[in-house]
Amino acid sequence: MTVDGSSHLHLKRRRFAPVDIMEAEAAKAKFVAVKEKFGRDLRVFETSGASSSLTQVSNDDERDDFYEFTAADYYRLLATKKTDKYLKTKKIREAEVAAHRSRITKTTIRVRFPDNHTLEVAFHPSEKIQSLFDLLSRMVTQPEVPFILYTTPPKKQIKDMSQDFYSAGLIPGAIVYFSNDMPNREDNAAVNCGPFLHEEVMSLKGLDVMPEPVEPIQATPEPVTTAPPPPVPQDPKAAGKKPVKPKWLKM
């Protein structure tokens, strides 16, 4: 019997990076240098025009009543708390929160700047939000200019630096917006035109570490087993006969 071995062999093709090997090594070196300086794995990329228009609208000053806590908000939160109170005990809720928290080991924060660039950096959920502000202070081109971070929608400024990312709800990832905070509107418009990040950080724009090429791996062929020969059928008559004692045998 002829067995076609090709049906049992599967080869992994080599994956080639779309960029030259030297370019990939240079990109990798940039990532390593930035990580050694800032202690984080960073990525920088450009966002679309739609995101820019959204950011521009969000940067506009809102009326004071925009941030007011309405009666509808109060009753909605109260109803949620009542439901949780009667369905679960405090100990059960705390156990669920602890179990959920232990499963999340990383949160990815994307900081969007008014010049359409986004900085991506990862933190542990238990780290304080202050660590994000400290990191940005080392990366921005004008560290002397005060800045704020906020989420949207609705626009909500991040003010409590002592909170960790988990408690602030910035898990497993979040998009926050950066804006310089000058008291004068004209000055604020001037400093919010960019560039915002140091040239060393901006050099990571569009770069990505390519995976190492994988050598082809030949799978072990499956063993071919030969079926045993069928048993020889016996004559049913011969099987049913009783053994006969020969006449010459005397007991």
Side-chain angles (χ1 to χ4, degrees), residues 9-39:
L9 298 179
H10 301 280
L11 302 181
K12 283 189 177 180
R13 298 182 181 274
R14 179 193 293 268
R15 296 196 299 265
F16 291 99
V19 295
D20 186 77
I21 299 298
M22 294 182 63
E23 293 180 0
E25 290 296 331
K28 186 176 181 179
K30 288 182 179 180
F31 278 108
V32 172
V34 171
K35 183 177 181 179
E36 288 180 352
K37 181 174 181 178
F38 297 103

Side-chain angles (χ1 to χ4, degrees), residues 3-227:
V3 180
D4 185 7
S6 62
S7 62
H8 299 284
L9 298 179
H10 301 280
L11 302 181
K12 283 189 177 180
R13 298 182 181 274
R14 179 193 293 268
R15 296 196 299 265
F16 291 99
V19 295
D20 186 77
I21 299 298
M22 294 182 63
E23 293 180 0
E25 290 296 331
K28 186 176 181 179
K30 288 182 179 180
F31 278 108
V32 172
V34 171
K35 183 177 181 179
E36 288 180 352
K37 181 174 181 178
F38 297 103
R40 304 277 180 177
D41 287 318
L42 306 175
R43 288 186 61 213
V44 177
F45 50 90
E46 192 168 1
T47 52
S48 62
S51 300
S52 173
S53 61
L54 178 61
T55 306
Q56 185 175 0
V57 172
S58 300
N59 278 333
D60 295 338
D61 292 336
E62 303 288 353
R63 297 176 303 173
D64 293 338
D65 59 355
F66 180 81
Y67 299 100
E68 288 184 358
F69 191 70
T70 64
D73 296 332
Y74 170 77
Y75 287 113
R76 184 170 61 252
L77 291 176
L78 186 61
T80 304
K81 289 183 178 296
K82 283 184 177 180
T83 303
D84 292 341
K85 179 180 179 181
Y86 291 115
L87 293 181
K88 298 177 182 178
T89 64
K90 180 181 178 181
K91 189 171 292 185
I92 292 177
R93 291 197 302 271
E94 290 176 350
E96 289 180 348
V97 170
H100 181 259
R101 185 163 187 161
S102 64
R103 290 195 298 266
I104 302 176
T105 59
K106 183 181 74 170
T107 180
T108 302
I109 304 299
R110 289 185 173 184
V111 184
R112 290 189 177 177
F113 295 87
D115 63 350
N116 294 347
H117 288 95
T118 297
L119 172 71
E120 182 180 286
V121 58
F123 294 88
H124 192 277
S126 62
E127 291 186 80
K128 305 298 182 182
I129 295 179
Q130 182 66 51
S131 60
L132 174 59
F133 279 81
D134 293 341
L135 180 65
L136 291 175
S137 298
R138 298 169 57 197
M139 293 183 176
V140 294
T141 56
Q142 302 181 76
E144 71 281 357
V145 177
F147 65 87
I148 63 171
L149 297 177
Y150 61 91
T151 56
T152 184
K155 184 176 179 180
K156 180 182 178 182
Q157 184 178 343
I158 301 175
K159 295 181 178 181
D160 189 357
M161 313 296 179
S162 62
Q163 269 192 319
D164 57 37
F165 289 96
Y166 186 93
S167 302
L170 303 178
I171 55 167
I175 298 175
V176 300
Y177 294 86
F178 176 98
S179 178
N180 284 315
D181 188 26
M182 298 291 288
N184 189 296
R185 177 169 294 190
E186 287 74 17
D187 294 340
N188 204 30
V191 296
N192 275 315
C193 60
F196 294 90
L197 295 171
H198 280 303
E199 184 177 352
E200 183 180 8
V201 180
M202 287 297 297
S203 66
L204 302 179
K205 177 182 174 181
L207 298 181
D208 198 1
V209 178
M210 303 303 298
E212 298 293 335
V214 179
E215 296 293 337
I217 301 175
Q218 183 173 348
T220 305
E222 297 180 3
V224 180
T225 57
T226 305

